[in-house]
């Protein structure tokens, strides 16, 4: 179990899809490093499927076919060389970026590990935890328009490098001449599978100019996520997360996905008993803009309906426990959803129950809670249904009820073994700290029973343990 943390951390399961995004960028003739005009990852995959249909194949054969449609002027770069470093060893790098002069950056890769450790106890790697890292980013030079307003002249780094994409090679650093720019963002379109850790001066300029840089939604969501993880791992001081959250809040006014990402981070702070005093205005604005008292479930677009549900979820998971003021639109919307026929609109089962929560009907009614539980935990229900239990269970302080549900997650007659840890670690544990402590207490007290329960389903056991431990925010609980 010594390497458990590195094998099953919260990022590991995103690796496959993320590497495909990265490979797509590398092989793009316009944005990436492919000199074969008209060829791409897609054309390579088509050729691979044609050549291997009705047969077996090995990983190296895929890389070989992709290399046949890829060409670069950079020495030592082939798809096989690059992808072996990403697929034949675990983890991923953090790229440390600093200035060495007014016009030059130094980029150094380092294996990313939590708690800023050295990865002791993890298995040896044939590549010694070094990667071929594709580097592409954006720069900002502050200019002033005719009215005296400052704006950011944004380009890709190709303007200064004469190439679309640069590489940090294993056991090498990368020096980049970027010219006299004011700010730098690394990881174009968030397609590289790495974190970027900025030096103090680069960080300060990025935060200052972020509202002017026109970073897209993916890039800003990446900044939020990677900053949170770098703080958690000890690469950044804690204040940086608040700084990036505040900077993104000023830009996340119309982008639905970015707004909901910001709200998710605010809810995470709130669930860990953190101070969200500075974000009430943002929450109120989101609710007022996105919450519609009369929802036309037949004619509204999916995103319009979804934004209403997210607004309601925000109210229900934050507002009741803070001094955030919820206006009458929330109550009106809640009443509309409360009157839904969920047999006719099964997709809205969740907001239906949440509307009952908002109006207080589920706060103490054990029979109603049992009905909710039975709705979500039956084995045929999807994981997305079970994730709904988090905000619902957030609204009860009934100790007996929570303990009952914790115990029920290990009842294989009610729920699949693989779904039990999902409910515990990803729904019950995060919503309130006292719920998390009960889950931790249960894990410690009943460890032998839990181990026997999972039997040979070690992945489910790993998911359960890592999910619970990953939610712990205080050192005393972690020590336990």
């Amino acid at each position: 179990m010594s390497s458990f943390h590195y094998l099953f951390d919260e990022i590991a399961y995103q690796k496959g899809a993320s590497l495909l995004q990265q490979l797509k960028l590398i092989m793009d003739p316009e944005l990436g490093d492919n000199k074969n005009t008209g060829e791409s990852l897609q054309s390579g995959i088509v050729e691979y499927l044609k050549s291997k249909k009705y047969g077996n194949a090995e990983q190296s054969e895929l890389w070989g076919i992709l290399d046949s449609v890829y060409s670069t002027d950079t020495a030592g770069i082939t798809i096989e060389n690059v992808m072996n470093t990403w697929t034949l060893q675990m983890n991923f790098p953090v790229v440390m970026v600093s200035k060495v002069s007014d016009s030059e950056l130094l980029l150094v890769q380092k294996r990313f590990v939590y708690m800023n450790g050295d990865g002791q106890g993890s298995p040896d790697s044939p590549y010694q935890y070094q990667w071929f890292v594709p580097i592409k980013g954006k720069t900002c030079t502050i200019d002033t328009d005719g009215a005296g307003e400052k704006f950011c002249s944004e380009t890709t780094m190709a303007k200064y490098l004469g190439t679309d994409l640069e590489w940090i090679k294993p056991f090498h650093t990368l020096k980049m001449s970027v010219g006299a720019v004011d700010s730098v963002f690394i990881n174009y379109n968030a397609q590289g599978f790495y974190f970027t850790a900025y030096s103090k001066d680069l960080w300060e300029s990025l935060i200052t100019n972020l509202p002017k840089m026109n970073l897209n939604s993916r890039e800003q969501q990446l900044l939020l996520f990677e900053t949170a993880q770098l703080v958690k791992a000890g690469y950044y001081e804690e204040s940086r997360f608040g700084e990036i959250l505040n900077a993104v809040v000023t830009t996340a006014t119309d982008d639905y996905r970015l707004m909901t990402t910001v709200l998710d981070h605010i809810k995470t702070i709130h669930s860990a008993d953190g101070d969200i005093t500075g974000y009430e205005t943002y929450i109120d604005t989101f609710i007022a803009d996105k919450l519609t008292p009369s929802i036309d479930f037949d004619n509204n677009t999916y995103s319009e309906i979804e934004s209403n549900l997210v607004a309601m979820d925000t109210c229900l998971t934050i507002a009741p426990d803070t001094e955030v003021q919820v206006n009458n639109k929330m109550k009106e919307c809640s009443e509309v959803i409360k009157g839904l026929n969920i047999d006719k609109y099964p997709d809205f089962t969740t907001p239906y129950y949440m509307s009952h929560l908002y109006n207080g009907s589920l706060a103490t009614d054990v029979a109603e809670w049992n009905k909710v539980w039975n709705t979500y935990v039956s084995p045929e229900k999807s994981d997305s249904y079970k994730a709904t239990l988090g905000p619902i269970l957030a609204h009860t302080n009934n100790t007996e009820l929570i303990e009952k549900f914790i115990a029920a997650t290990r009842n294989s007659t009610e729920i699949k073994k693989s779904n039990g840890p999902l409910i515990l670690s990803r729904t019950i544990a995060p919503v309130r700290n006292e719920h998390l402590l009960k889950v931790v207490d249960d894990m410690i007290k009943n460890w032998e029973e839990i181990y026997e329960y999972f039997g040979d389903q070690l992945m489910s056991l790993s998911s359960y343990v890592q999910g619970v431990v990953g939610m712990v925010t205080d050192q005393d609980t972690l020590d336990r």
Side-chain angles (χ1 to χ4, degrees), residues 58-112:
E58 295 182 356
Q59 174 175 290
S60 59
E61 294 175 287
L62 171 60
W63 306 147
I65 290 177
L66 293 182
D67 268 320
S68 71
V69 299
Y70 171 78
S71 176
T72 179
D73 296 332
T74 307
I77 299 295
T78 67
I79 296 301
E80 183 167 20
N81 287 345
V82 170
M83 292 306 293
N84 281 346
T85 66
W86 291 96
T87 60
L88 299 182
Q89 63 181 349
M90 62 185 186
N91 298 128
F92 62 95
V94 53
V95 175
M96 322 291 287
V97 187
S98 60
K99 269 190 172 182
V100 291
S101 71
D102 289 341
S103 61
E104 193 172 45
L105 301 177
L106 176 66
L107 286 77
V108 180
Q109 68 164 300
K110 179 180 180 181
R111 180 190 179 192
F112 177 81

Side-chain angles (χ1 to χ4, degrees), residues 3 9 17 132 142 196 224 226-227 242 296 318 398 403 406 457:
S3 60
D9 63 34
F132 284 95
I142 298 297
T196 305
L224 284 168
E226 74 178 6
T227 302
D296 185 345
I318 296 180
N398 187 322
E403 290 176 348
I406 290 173
Q457 295 189 14

Side-chain angles (χ1 to χ4, degrees), residues 7-25:
L7 287 170
F8 302 108
D9 63 34
E10 59 195 280
I11 299 168
Y13 292 105
Q14 302 173 25
K15 189 172 183 178
S18 299
L19 289 184
L20 287 176
Q21 286 287 338
Q22 180 171 276
L23 190 54
K24 180 181 178 183
L25 173 65

Side-chain angles (χ1 to χ4, degrees), residues 171-184:
F171 306 105
H172 288 76
T173 61
L174 174 64
K175 283 190 176 181
M176 304 179 69
S177 297
V178 294
V181 298
D182 292 296
S183 297
V184 174

